[in-house]
Amino acid sequence: MNLRSSWVAETGQTREDTRLTQTGATTMLNPVQVRSGILPGSYSGQFRLSGFWMTNASAMSATVSEGRAVVQGEISQGVYPVTLPASQTVTFTPGNPQYGRVDLVVLRIYDRLYEGQRNEAVVEVIEGVPEQTPKAMPVPARSLPLYEVTVPAGVSAGNGGIPWATALKDLRTPVVAVGGIVPAEGPVAPGAYPGQYQDTADGQFQRWDGGKWVSYPAGIGGIIPASAGTLPASYTGQYRESALGQLQRWNGSAWLPAVPGPAYNDTLDHGTTSSTTYTPILAERAVNPLTVNFTAPPSKTVLIGFGARIQSTSPDHYAYVNIRVTQGTTVVLDSTDDERAAVCASEHNTSVATSVRLGNLTPGLTYTVTVVHRVVANTLNLKAGFDNVFVRVDPLA
């Protein structure tokens, strides 16, 4: 029978049965195995991971502090709980005369059920090979790496020993009980199931979404803070605060302002027209036509304001400024209706402006507003002058 249990059979429970059914300090790796790692905590509560901390004891030796850990074997071997109740000293051999090396300090389980003739848990130094570009040896089976230690060429107790301030690379990773929040330290392992949580070394609360760790605001639909930097979006409609403090929304491919606009354009360049139908082109003006683009907001509605300083030839010579709105090649709002126009009939420069409410837009699409001009029908081919022309688009809630 393959199913294993603990404390059911009156006789015959094996050490392997007991290891395979451990459900204590076991952060899941898959449905059967758990992560190898160290139980978090410190005496003062100030530090996340103090177990098996390593510091120099002498020129060529280091002290590994007390701690508790679990070491996962192969899938059928179960997990080995280990405890170091008092600190232990490990010693490193002198450096090679020519090349440096990288030693590996591990918690290692020797189990003669699977190899060798020993049944023992040890703190062990696995000496690296001296090379021009040294690297640590592979981690043996049933072992938990604690530190890499760089041993430079020629170092020994007689010449200062290992430069401890720069020699240590911390490889320790924490584990917690099933369902617990892992205080992530060292190499970040992938999650085992959607809904698993971890607290990162820089203080971000994250949830595993089945493929990546997602910071907590993203996972619950909140606003990603600017402190999260370039954290990617998780879904269309997610919000974040930009580095400049702007609220942005993810549209599926890019971060855009959550409240687009206002969009604005103007020109102080004077121009004239004698056209009796609306035209975007003014003679003598360099800016032709005057346009502005805007992105339709989620409300589908915008307020478009426009105007100009107009001078007509006589009090009976009406001049109009109006707008045309397009989306690509589609005309959304034509300029044939004078009721929307700002109108002036004066021989003196007169500033006029008006606004138009435009709805039923498609959120996220880009629209273009073009300012157009005309004069009243006349037989004398009279002109009107337009100056300080402007257009502004504001999203409405």
Side-chain angles (χ1 to χ4, degrees), residues 298-318:
S299 67
K300 307 179 182 180
T301 306
V302 296
L303 184 67
I304 306 174
F306 57 95
R309 191 173 66 182
I310 302 175
Q311 183 180 23
S312 55
T313 308
S314 71
D316 296 325
H317 183 214
Y318 288 87

Side-chain angles (χ1 to χ4, degrees), residues 49 52-53 145-148 168-173 185-187:
L49 194 62
F52 301 97
W53 176 265
L146 300 177
Y147 284 87
E148 287 183 2
L168 297 180
K169 180 180 179 180
D170 193 347
L171 303 178
R172 298 171 306 148
T173 55
E185 289 282 333

Side-chain angles (χ1 to χ4, degrees), residues 157-169:
N159 62 7
I162 296 171
W164 293 107
T166 58
L168 297 180
K169 180 180 179 180

Side-chain angles (χ1 to χ4, degrees), residues 27-209:
T27 299
M28 299 308 296
L29 182 65
N30 56 48
V32 178
Q33 293 177 293
V34 303
R35 290 188 201 172
S36 295
I38 297 166
L39 276 64
S42 61
Y43 288 110
S44 64
Q46 292 179 278
F47 305 104
R48 299 156 70 92
L49 194 62
S50 292
F52 301 97
W53 176 265
M54 194 167 79
T55 57
N56 65 297
S58 67
M60 297 300 296
S61 65
T63 299
V64 179
S65 64
E66 60 273 21
R68 299 176 65 199
V70 291
V71 181
Q72 174 67 54
E74 296 297 327
I75 195 165
S76 64
Q77 297 173 4
V79 61
Y80 298 81
V82 298
T83 300
L84 183 66
S87 61
Q88 179 177 327
T89 299
V90 291
T91 302
F92 301 84
T93 61
N96 178 271
Q98 186 175 7
Y99 295 119
R101 70 175 195 270
V102 176
D103 292 352
L104 189 65
V105 181
V106 301
L107 300 180
R108 187 170 184 178
I109 304 296
Y110 287 93
D111 190 337
R112 65 185 180 189
L113 280 175
Y114 310 112
E115 64 175 352
Q117 300 299 315
R118 304 167 61 184
N119 281 330
E120 189 177 8
V122 298
V123 179
E124 184 172 274
V125 176
I126 300 174
E127 191 171 304
V129 177
E131 294 177 319
Q132 191 168 4
T133 306
K135 57 183 180 295
M137 298 292 286
V139 179
R142 293 173 300 281
S143 296
L144 173 64
L146 300 177
Y147 284 87
E148 287 183 2
V149 180
T150 299
V151 181
V155 298
S156 65
N159 62 7
I162 296 171
W164 293 107
T166 58
L168 297 180
K169 180 180 179 180
D170 193 347
L171 303 178
R172 298 171 306 148
T173 55
V175 293
V176 294
V178 174
I181 297 171
V182 179
E185 289 282 333
V188 177
Y193 54 89
Q196 185 176 359
Y197 286 90
Q198 71 173 11
D199 184 75
T200 68
D202 59 358
Q204 289 189 39
F205 190 35
Q206 294 183 330
R207 177 184 183 274
W208 182 255
D209 71 356

Side-chain angles (χ1 to χ4, degrees), residues 12 108 223 271 280 334 356:
R108 187 170 184 178
I223 297 171
D334 208 347
V356 174

